[in-house]
Amino acid sequence: MNLEFIELELVWPSKLGIFDLKDYILSELKKYGEPLRWAITSVTTHSEKKIQLISLEVVLIINQDKGKGINSELS
């Protein structure tokens, strides 16, 4: 197992309330590995696109046996 630091942005779906945000973020992060620590660093509103972007800094536990991780996603 390895630790991997990533920064990423997620689109905050307009139908998703603030109380459901944590579950949404965790479900998205699990696509890359097991989240160990994460933080929201900013929320940006793009009024012309009518979306909000959530910037995150994340430390993931990557299981090498499964070939999961951000590097394999970007390849």
Side-chain angles (χ1 to χ4, degrees):
M1 285 195 259
N2 291 324
L3 295 179
E4 189 170 326
F5 173 80
I6 64 169
E7 294 177 309
L8 78 124
E9 288 187 330
L10 297 176
V11 173
W12 183 346
S14 59
K15 65 180 183 276
L16 189 68
I18 189 76
F19 295 109
D20 298 319
L21 189 58
K22 179 181 174 184
D23 291 336
Y24 168 71
I25 290 171
L26 287 173
S27 69
E28 291 296 309
L29 294 178
K30 287 185 181 190
K31 294 176 183 178
Y32 302 104
E34 186 64 32
L36 178 63
R37 295 184 64 86
W38 58 276
I40 297 173
T41 56
S42 70
V43 177
T44 308
T45 301
H46 294 277
S47 57
E48 67 278 356
K49 296 179 185 178
K50 297 182 180 177
I51 62 170
Q52 287 187 305
L53 293 177
I54 304 167
S55 297
L56 300 163
E57 292 182 352
V58 185
V59 176
L60 297 168
I61 300 171
I62 305 298
N63 186 345
Q64 297 293 7
D65 297 337
K66 294 183 180 179
K68 272 179 113 175
I70 189 73
N71 292 333
S72 62
E73 295 283 329
L74 295 176
S75 300

